[in-house]
Structures are given as C-alpha cells and as structure tokens.
Amino acid sequence: MQVNVLASGSTGNATFLNLGDTNILVDAGISARRIKKELDEIDVNVEDLDAVLITHEHRDHINGLSTLTRKYGVPVYARPDTWKAILDQAVAKDVPINCRVNMADSLDIGDVKVEPFSISHDAADPVGFSLYHRQTKCAVATDLGFVTEKVKKALAFADVVVLEANHDVDMLKQGSYPWYLKNRILSNRGHLANTDTGWTLARLARKNQCHTFLAHLSQENNRPEVAEKTVADILTGAGCKVGSDVTLHITYPDRATGLK
Ligand SMILES: [Zn+2]
Ligand SMILES: [Zn+2]
C-alpha cells in the first residue's frame, strides 16, 4: 500500500492511494497541473488513476476536478446530493457526464473495496472512506465536526488512517476569525480540534501498528508542531507508544507527505 497526501488544508486537498493494482485519488482540491506534478514525483502516471472519490463539495476538495476529468477522463465517484452541489458551482459544472458516477454504499474499484461512511460536516452529504485490499485497510476522514460511532468503526483496525487535526481550540478562540466562523469550526458540523483527534486515536480499536496522517491543519489556528505534540501527548498518556503503536505523519498545504 502506498499513501501520499499530495496537499491538505483549506487551500486544497488531494490524497493518492495505491492498494493492490488500483490507484485512487481522494478529492481533487488542487489544480490538475499540481496533481499531475505531484504524481510524477512519485512515478505515478496521472492517466493510470482508476478513480477519484469525492468526500464533499467544498471548493478545497474539488478545485481541480473539472480540468482533471476533461483532460484525463478519469471517473469520479460522489454521492448523488454531492454531485448536485458540485455541479451548482462554476468551478466544477463542466465535469463531463461520462465521468460522473453516483457512489453506492459499497463499491469495487479494481481490486479495492470502497465503503463510504457519513461524517458530520456542513455539506450536502459528506463522507469519509474505508478502503480494503485483502488484509490491508486504509481510512480517510477529513472535514468532520464530531467523531460518531460510525466513524470510529470505519477507522478501526486500519493500517493507515488519514484523520483531520484541524485546529488548536485556544488558538482558534484567540485568533482573528470572526465569531460566526469560529462557531462554525467549533460546531458539530465543523472541524476536529487536535484534542478530538488525539482522543479518537487513543480510544481507537487498532492493529499493532497504525500510521496516521494528521490532515487538514488550519494555517491560521494550528501549527504542525502543536498538532503533533497535542496528539502525541494524549496517545502517550493513554499508554500508547508513539512511533511504534501509532506513527504520526504531518501533512502540508504546499507539499506532499507519503508512506510506502
Ligand atoms: Zn476542507
Ligand atoms: Zn469542508
């Protein structure tokens, strides 16, 4: 399995996953040119993508979708209500019809089984994904205000988890965002705080070794070292060995982080 978070954060999200013989991109929130460039860097041909899976319709997850589909004809899977919300936006309304696929509750893409799961976020029908190939599992959940039982189940026993660690609560509260935006982020349909992410991982039913990418860090209300320390401290306090039981990887808005 190979996982490369090509970009992560409110300026654009895209994660490349290779399981078995199947190449999947979760979200296309950076330009098609950047997606191609980042895939070139890891010796993956953009034409070899088997599918793009869309979590939800916010701009930072679909910015590159139109060009990517028109240029390379890659099939895109999204929930029906998410498609409606995507096609309402000028940035993505010209995704070719033959590239649009309605995402079922469970789907097979090549030799990968994909199970979308609902997440709590202010979008039409937002989802995360559990992906399975033989004994290997990867789970992706960004943009969620609250970790439900369903999400905990979806993340359980994954070899690799991509999980949001959006903000430090104090930095957000003391920061410059207007109150309505602070409230939106802090709400159950907003984004996860570093402490939420830490406790989720600490209480997660895990395999012996789990790699976790801390994703969708706010540039305004978080810092990579703050996110990593907060999560690591909670894990350590819960008796988990950071670096062996759970290995943390930070993600960035402007460069890729990977694991092979
Ligand atoms: Zn987002
Ligand atoms: Zn969002």
Side-chain angles (χ1 to χ4, degrees), residues 153-210:
K153 254 194 183 148
L155 302 182
F157 301 111
D159 300 273
V160 178
V161 171
V162 180
L163 181 62
E164 166 171 81
N166 179 258
H167 58 274
D168 176 88
V169 174
D170 291 334
M171 284 176 75
L172 175 69
K173 283 185 175 165
Q174 287 155 24
S176 63
Y177 278 16
W179 68 268
Y180 72 87
L181 198 52
K182 290 182 183 181
N183 283 345
R184 189 212 141 212
I185 294 167
L186 289 166
S187 81
N188 275 352
R189 301 184 75 210
H191 291 276
L192 288 188
N194 297 335
T195 45
D196 298 326
T197 311
W199 283 113
T200 301
L201 292 170
R203 292 170 178 155
L204 195 64
R206 287 190 306 266
K207 282 189 176 173
N208 286 340
Q209 293 188 320
C210 173

Side-chain angles (χ1 to χ4, degrees), residues 199-225:
W199 283 113
T200 301
L201 292 170
R203 292 170 178 155
L204 195 64
R206 287 190 306 266
K207 282 189 176 173
N208 286 340
Q209 293 188 320
C210 173
H211 284 268
T212 300
F213 289 85
L214 300 179
H216 216 299
L217 269 67
S218 169
Q219 286 178 269
E220 187 83 21
N221 307 307
N222 211 348
R223 296 279 174 275
E225 58 278 12

Side-chain angles (χ1 to χ4, degrees), residues 9-10 13 55-56 58 60-61 121 142-143 164 184 191 216:
S10 59
N13 296 273
T55 57
H56 65 298
H58 289 162
D60 55 319
H61 299 260
H121 189 57
T142 64
D143 300 65
E164 166 171 81
R184 189 212 141 212
H191 291 276
H216 216 299

